[in-house]
Every structure is written in C-alpha cells, then in structure tokens.
Amino acid sequence: MGRMSSPRRILHIDMDAFFAAVELRRHPELRGKPVVIGGRGDPTQRGVVSTASYEARRFGIHSAMPLRTAYRLCPEAVFLPVDFETYERESARIKDILREITPQMEDVGIDEAFLDISELPEASETIARTIQARILERTGLTCSIGIAPNKLLAKIASDLEKPNGLTVLHESDLETRIWPLAVRKLPGVGPKTEARLHEMGIETIGALARTPLQRLIDRFGPSHGRYLHRAAWGEDDEPIVTHWEPKSTSREMTFAHDVTRRRVLVDTLRSLTREVVEHLRSEGYRCRTVTVKIRFSDFETHTRERTLPEPTDRREIIEAAVLACFAHLVVPRPVRLLGVRLGELSRSGKSPEPPSPEP
C-alpha cells in the first residue's frame, strides 16, 4: 500500500455517552436502565435525543432522533432534560486533565478532543491509560481513546471499542481494519453522502478507496471528491489546532407549539438577538453579517442574510438588521423554529461591554 507516512502520534479522546454518564453519576439508581437525555426530558413534547445510555441504544435510539420516536422504540426508558451547564463544567475539568498531558490539545466538542503526543517520551498506550485513569479517578467517567498517525484514523479508532476502549491503528492496519468498515464510519460522511455512495454501489471504506478519483469528483465535486478519496486511504495531514477564532455565533428557539402570531415571532427574534449580542460582546467580538432562520411546521426551512456596512456589536443596529431580514420572509404556515446567527466575526479591540439597556 505505502500511501501513508507520518511520524505523528495522535490521540482522539471520546467520552462514553457523556451526557448520560454524567446523569447516571448523580442518579446511580438508574444504572443498567435505558436512559435518554434530550430537550426538557418530556418525550411527549418536541425535542431531540442529545445522547442515550448504551442500554437505550440497544433499542435503536440514537442522537438527533426525535424524543417521540425514542419513546415509541422504548416506552420504559427514563427521559431526562439536558443540563448543559453541568455538562460544560465537567467538560472543562476533563480538558484540564488533558492539558496536563500536553498543551498540544485541540478541543473539538464538549465530549471529545485530539492530543498530539509525538514529542512525549512515553509509549502511546501508557499515555492513553494514564488519561483514562485520571479522568475516571477525578470525574467518575470513562472515555474511549484512539491512537493513530493522524486525526482522521484516531477518530475512527476511538469508536471501534466502546465503552472504555483503547484502540491503536498503524499504517499496516488500513486494509484489514479500516477498509471493511461501512462508509458511514468515515468522518465527514453523513446520511446524505452515505446515501449517494450507496447509489454508486459503494458501501465500505475499502470500496470507496478502490473507486477512481475522477468518478468521485464527477459525483461530489473537486473538494469533497478528493477528500473522500484521501480519507478512504487514511490520508490526513490536518494539524492539531490549539486555538481558533469562531466564525459565527447563534441562538435558536424551537417552540413547544407552532406559532402563527407575528407579534410573538418578532418578540422572540428580539429576545434571541439580545442573547446572542450579549454573548458576542462578552467574547469581545463584532459581527458583519446577520442571518435569520425560520423553520415551518412541515420542517421547510428558509434563511435571510444581511451584510452590515461595517462590523459592529451594537444591539440596536444588529436588531434592526434582524427585523429587516424577517420582514422579507414570507410566513405562510405556522412556525416551528426561529434562529439568529451573527457571522464574519472580528475582534472588537476593546473590553467587553455590558448589554444594552432595555428600550
């Protein structure tokens, strides 16, 4: 094969059923039971599954599934509300543990991270076991770790033996351990890409690797086609990113019941704008673009965007742009969701300001 060559040692740390594990820690009486975390914890109301315990997953319950569907699959499951404040606090503790190992850490989500341990003298497996032991000792939680020459393979590896797994992938493992996997196991392959690959008769990563590059480019375009080809061959030279600037910030509201009154929609947009601007200022940013998202009861979704004359963090300017976007949206059906996104962020170059007073 000989297509991969890298001296790097990359770890991907993935917490096991993170939200559910935190809840089981404070509700030990629920251990061994199917537990589903999502929304307000009421499966009769709107909301989606954020995570599920491994017992619940055996019923086919998975992340992003509507809570009502999860309830139909497993009526006896225990449904709990999402407690982001607690999860974020636990995530911060875990990331602090990882930074004790090396500052070369890329935070890629509330429950996962990459570490570059190439310069550390200890064996990769020793470092990984140390991480698992420290996280378990200090938080009572378990994680699965993948070790590989690059981020792509490390992420695949961490998912191969869950929970509390440790998987090492070498260059020589590509054909025997990666290629037999379903294409969905490849990072960056979601349901739509998976369906299109299946239409082409490509169901495994190995079949994808054997597909001519030009055929993938013809089907997916130059960028995505080349990515799929390289990823199937285990090729990835992405560095560990220890810090990056956000491109946007947003807030959304899913209504418990569909809304038809325009006054309610406008008030909701004002409230979302106030929240997102407060966050923008607290982080010391300004925005250049404003986008309003609206999703109707039939899940049809539309957006409107407006570019501001110059970057700003002034709420009155941003709110005026939000309402102008909304004014150009036709609302022929009841509304399920509203969202406000501020994009093209840049540093404000000044200390964070308190939020604007209520008008």
Side-chain angles (χ1 to χ4, degrees), residues 219-343:
R219 188 74 170 89
F220 295 97
S223 178
H224 197 196
R226 288 193 178 92
Y227 166 77
L228 291 172
H229 185 71
R230 294 187 73 235
W233 280 92
E235 296 177 357
D236 173 31
D237 53 11
E238 285 294 315
I240 294 293
V241 181
T242 58
H243 176 76
W244 64 88
E245 298 290 347
K247 296 181 180 179
S248 66
T249 182
S250 63
R251 290 292 185 275
E252 293 184 351
M253 166 69 76
T254 299
F255 298 109
H257 303 284
D258 295 337
V259 173
T260 56
R261 294 176 57 196
R262 198 169 185 90
R263 182 72 255 172
V264 174
L265 298 176
V266 169
D267 288 345
T268 300
L269 285 173
R270 290 182 186 274
S271 177
L272 291 172
T273 301
R274 182 171 62 251
E275 290 180 17
V276 76
V277 170
E278 286 178 0
H279 178 72
L280 184 80
R281 288 181 166 186
S282 71
E283 297 296 319
Y285 286 99
R286 298 173 298 180
C287 71
R288 183 72 190 277
T289 61
V290 173
T291 305
V292 171
K293 178 168 76 171
I294 186 168
R295 178 170 295 151
F296 300 109
S297 54
D298 59 358
F299 284 86
E300 183 178 334
T301 304
H302 294 269
T303 61
R304 288 292 182 274
E305 182 176 288
R306 176 161 290 204
T307 299
L308 303 174
E310 59 183 13
T312 185
D313 62 0
R314 293 179 57 187
R315 192 180 113 193
E316 61 270 25
I317 295 175
I318 294 171
E319 183 176 287
V322 166
L323 297 181
C325 288
F326 182 64
H328 286 86
L329 283 165
V330 179
V331 187
R333 294 181 297 284
V335 175
R336 174 187 177 89
L337 174 148
L338 280 178
V340 174
R341 183 176 74 248
L342 309 182

